[in-house]
Amino acid sequence: MDVTRRDSRTASPVDSIWRDLPEHVFRQHLVSLQERTGPTPMDPQAFSIGEWLSISPPVNESHVLSVDLEQHLADDFAFLAAVAEGAQSVAAVCIEEHSQTSGMTLRFAAMDISKNETVKRALQGMCSILSRAATLVSDESPSDQITPLFHHIIQLHFYRLLARLRSPKWEKPKFLSKSHKKPLWKDFANLVHRAQHTYAKKEKVTRGMVESRVKELATVYKHFEASEDQMSSMMELVDASFRFSSAEEIMDYAQRLQNNTKHTHQVASAIKTLRQIQKIASYRRICLSLVSAARQYPTLFQQVTIEYLVPYKEVPTSIGYHEWATTCHVHAEVQLAVYYDLNRNYRPRCIGTSKWLCYLCYQFLSAHNQFFPSKTHGRIFDQWTVPDLVEFSEALVQYYRRILKEMDGVVLQQIESEPQVRRLQRMTSCDFGGFDQI
């Protein structure tokens, strides 16, 4: 018996949120949608906070943070909590501001964080550094906290960074043992080659700057592979990636590639390489961003409390698009939404995520209408479900029934109205930095 996970099916049949729309019917509709559209029923999208605020219910709590900053910081903390690859490591977090006293609570949800003591200790250490940054005296420099925070971040994510680099130093997990992708820096030659086709002759100087920056970054990446001081050289690599991604000519180059009407394999590959560099750069950007926020909002960061939701058990299913999909899971975003529906003492406006919302989490939060659904990669994972708990009030049961019915209606409408098309699968991690729309 798994005592570290909650039972997600405790309601009686008559009180079930699935009473009016049986779950097997809902799930069969999801399979039909995938058969129609493939794994990505909608295009990736990022949404406007202003538009959401105009239709969302008013929030009673007073907030120090703006909605966009709350989303930004929550995404950053979620990104730091997602240490490993795979669905089990997708993290979500809400920020609870303490209005009566100083400080805030970070409430995390994920499948594997609550029992990973290494991650929990690392996150607590990072928050302690941010608390010190919030209380710096006038003669102290923020850099005094940036360096130790950056070290903590790189130390925690070192293995994942090796994976992002496709480094020979990376020990592949078993499910990737047969893949043989070359190291990331070997893709940089395509970036140089694409630049030659992207700029006009009169833009020779700009093209030269782009090519020079790419070659300089390749040198740093190759140096890491040869270095024995892995920690210092990894910090240097991430910092160099951040400077590269933040350079105006690189942001312009990325935008030109994105606007290229001839989306050849080479162009798509170049965009993917830039995205991967950007993700590596995120570890530096987040470090700087969090220290800056701690300095700007000291009353919040002086006392940071971390709480973790207990994840839910898997739910068996016989309906799935893939034969191997025999269990359903409560995604981290849904865990948080349900928690705050049951505990109404405080209602955050945002749910930060380490990856963009999947199709079903986006549809759920849109129908739920209490949290800003910031962005979705549009991909559907039909092994998705919602807790069905005995502690739900009658009003909450009716609320979830309405949400599920609304979601099912959207799915059925797409099945009927959309042409049979298979969209390209996009990268699903949250994109950060200067060209996060590419």
Side-chain angles (χ1 to χ4, degrees):
M1 182 177 179
D2 188 354
V3 296
T4 63
R5 295 178 184 268
R6 294 186 60 188
D7 190 347
S8 63
R9 293 291 184 270
T10 59
S12 66
V14 69
D15 294 323
S16 171
I17 62 174
W18 298 104
R19 188 196 66 184
D20 299 339
L21 172 64
E23 186 170 11
H24 71 272
V25 174
F26 176 75
R27 292 190 45 70
Q28 189 58 61
H29 292 164
L30 300 182
V31 173
S32 298
L33 178 62
Q34 289 183 86
E35 291 172 346
R36 183 74 179 172
T37 66
T40 314
M42 67 183 293
D43 291 324
Q45 295 181 54
F47 300 95
S48 164
I49 289 177
E51 291 181 8
W52 177 75
L53 287 174
S54 67
I55 61 173
S56 64
V59 179
N60 295 327
E61 294 88 358
S62 59
H63 294 271
V64 174
L65 300 173
S66 63
V67 181
D68 57 344
L69 184 55
E70 181 181 335
Q71 182 71 63
H72 183 79
L73 291 175
D75 282 340
D76 283 354
F77 280 115
F79 186 82
L80 292 180
V83 174
E85 291 285 355
Q88 297 293 315
S89 293
V90 174
V93 63
C94 285
I95 297 175
E96 302 173 12
E97 298 180 20
H98 300 170
S99 57
Q100 302 300 322
T101 59
S102 62
M104 63 180 177
T105 295
L106 303 177
R107 195 169 300 277
F108 285 92
M111 297 300 290
D112 62 359
I113 295 179
S114 61
K115 54 185 179 181
N116 190 323
E117 293 301 323
T118 299
V119 175
K120 291 167 73 172
R121 284 195 300 270
L123 291 173
Q124 189 60 61
M126 293 176 199
C127 288
S128 297
I129 293 171
L130 291 172
S131 295
R132 290 196 293 273
T135 55
L136 286 176
V137 295
S138 58
D139 61 341
E140 291 181 298
S141 169
S143 62
D144 294 338
Q145 306 306 326
I146 290 174
T147 300
L149 179 61
F150 189 40
H151 187 277
H152 265 65
I153 291 172
I154 300 304
Q155 188 173 47
L156 178 63
H157 289 268
F158 191 88
Y159 182 79
R160 188 160 192 183
L161 279 163
L162 289 179
R164 293 191 186 281
L165 292 168
R166 304 196 295 268
S167 169
K169 300 176 182 180
W170 175 45
E171 294 183 12
K172 296 178 184 177
K174 288 184 178 180
F175 70 92
L176 290 176
S177 60
K178 294 183 179 180
S179 66
H180 300 287
K181 290 185 177 181
K182 59 188 176 183
L184 178 62
W185 66 265
K186 290 191 175 182
D187 292 335
F188 290 7
N190 182 49
L191 290 178
V192 174
H193 185 66
R194 284 301 99 204
Q196 296 170 4
H197 295 273
T198 302
Y199 294 92
K201 289 184 178 180
K202 63 181 180 180
E203 298 175 302
K204 182 178 179 180
V205 173
T206 303
R207 189 193 76 192
M209 293 172 64
V210 169
E211 293 175 350
S212 177
R213 283 194 175 274
V214 172
K215 292 174 182 177
E216 288 173 3
L217 189 64
T219 300
V220 175
Y221 277 45
K222 286 185 282 187
H223 171 73
F224 166 76
E225 299 297 350
S227 174
E228 294 184 0
D229 187 352
Q230 295 190 68
M231 190 65 187
S232 295
S233 57
M234 180 67 87
M235 292 174 70
E236 179 186 355
L237 182 151
V238 173
D239 191 38
S241 300
F242 173 73
R243 295 194 304 271
F244 174 88
S245 299
S246 304
E248 289 187 12
E249 58 268 23
I250 297 301
M251 290 189 285
D252 174 70
Y253 177 42
Q255 193 61 56
R256 290 180 185 226
L257 288 174
Q258 180 67 16
N259 295 339
N260 192 324
T261 56
K262 298 179 180 179
H263 260 241
T264 64
H265 171 75
Q266 291 83 0
V267 171
S269 178
I271 292 173
K272 187 174 181 180
T273 300
L274 288 173
R275 282 181 181 270
Q276 197 63 15
I277 296 170
Q278 184 189 30
K279 293 179 191 300
I280 293 168
S282 297
Y283 297 95
R284 180 62 175 177
R285 183 201 61 77
I286 289 173
C287 174
L288 299 174
S289 176
L290 289 178
V291 171
S292 176
R295 297 289 291 149
Q296 188 174 359
Y297 301 96
T299 57
L300 291 179
F301 282 86
Q302 283 175 4
Q303 184 66 44
V304 181
T305 303
I306 302 178
E307 300 289 347
Y308 300 93
L309 297 185
V310 177
Y312 290 93
K313 296 177 182 178
E314 299 173 342
V315 179
T317 182
S318 59
I319 302 172
Y321 181 72
H322 299 285
E323 291 184 0
W324 50 261
T326 58
T327 55
C328 292
H329 308 272
V330 181
H331 288 199
E333 302 92 327
V334 177
Q335 292 179 43
L336 284 167
V338 170
Y339 171 83
Y340 288 107
D341 286 338
L342 288 171
N343 300 272
R344 294 181 172 273
N345 295 331
Y346 187 90
R347 170 74 70 177
R349 299 162 294 179
C350 307
I351 297 178
T353 56
S354 59
K355 291 182 180 290
W356 289 28
L357 299 171
C358 74
Y359 172 82
L360 290 172
C361 281
Y362 166 70
Q363 298 294 352
F364 178 84
L365 292 183
S366 294
H368 189 278
N369 200 33
Q370 299 289 326
F371 299 93
F372 171 50
S374 60
K375 44 200 171 291
T376 176
H377 54 68
R379 190 174 180 186
I380 186 171
F381 301 98
D382 64 74
Q383 314 97 273
W384 180 98
T385 192
V386 180
D388 193 11
L389 306 178
V390 67
E391 56 260 47
F392 288 167
S393 67
E394 182 178 350
L396 190 54
V397 169
Q398 293 295 336
Y399 183 49
Y400 286 151
R401 286 174 181 168
R402 179 191 64 76
I403 289 173
L404 293 170
K405 184 177 180 180
E406 185 174 326
M407 292 176 66
D408 189 57
V410 172
V411 169
L412 289 174
Q413 184 179 22
Q414 282 196 261
I415 293 172
E416 294 174 2
S417 63
E418 285 210 6
Q420 191 157 356
V421 59
R422 290 183 176 268
R423 294 176 175 84
L424 292 175
Q425 293 184 29
R426 306 298 182 94
M427 298 177 71
T428 58
S429 296
C430 280
D431 292 327
F432 301 96
F435 44 95
D436 57 0
Q437 295 304 314
I438 71 169

